[in-house]
Amino acid sequence: MLKTLPSALLGAALTIAPLSAPRAHDIYTGVRGKNGQLCCGGNDCAATLYREQGGNFEFLTRESRWVKIPPERITFLPVPGDSPSDDSHRAHLCYRQANDDDRLGPYSTNVFDAIYLYCAFIPPGSI
């Protein structure tokens, strides 16, 4: 019995883990950014932190790097379905890693540092 208990617990954890990730990401389904574009094409979006200094905004990426995003690319609205938070620097960032074609192509204005930006959100009250 004791030998099968760890296996059963691991199996249960593996069954539950995949179900929780998509639910957390569901709040981004259909969310559109400042220019009306869809923000997410999979797991591109996540809650994050931002910092502001002198009107300049930086967002923390999933890779734990700070990336400067100009204010004109930030939507200062809540993401529908996002749980309220006491964190005054909570934000949402939707992006993928930029590639060489992104940097040289017609959408190069979406490249900031190493990311190709879809959307950035700062909810009211977080500023």
Side-chain angles (χ1 to χ4, degrees):
M1 172 82 176
L2 289 177
K3 287 184 178 181
T4 60
L5 185 59
S7 295
L9 291 174
L10 178 61
L14 291 174
T15 302
I16 294 170
L19 297 176
S20 60
R23 285 187 192 135
H25 195 261
D26 284 347
I27 66 168
Y28 302 108
T29 301
V31 171
R32 295 183 180 270
K34 199 167 196 171
N35 298 328
Q37 76 281 6
L38 284 172
C39 292
C40 200
N43 289 323
D44 305 316
C45 297
T48 189
L49 299 174
Y50 80 93
R51 60 187 181 192
E52 185 264 337
Q53 185 174 14
N56 295 311
F57 295 88
E58 292 181 319
F59 287 72
L60 187 62
T61 67
R62 294 182 295 269
E63 297 78 26
S64 299
R65 295 182 60 207
W66 290 99
V67 174
K68 185 185 284 187
I69 306 293
E72 62 270 10
R73 293 300 307 270
I74 301 169
T75 303
F76 292 94
L77 292 172
V79 171
D82 186 25
S83 301
S85 173
D86 290 335
D87 190 344
S88 63
H89 288 92
R90 181 177 169 89
H92 296 269
L93 189 62
C94 305
Y95 70 95
R96 63 172 169 76
Q97 292 301 304
N99 60 44
D100 290 339
D101 290 338
D102 296 329
R103 295 175 200 289
L104 302 173
Y107 299 107
S108 62
T109 57
N110 291 338
V111 176
F112 299 94
D113 194 12
I115 70 167
Y116 183 92
L117 179 69
Y118 296 125
C119 299
F121 291 88
I122 296 177
S126 290
I127 253 186

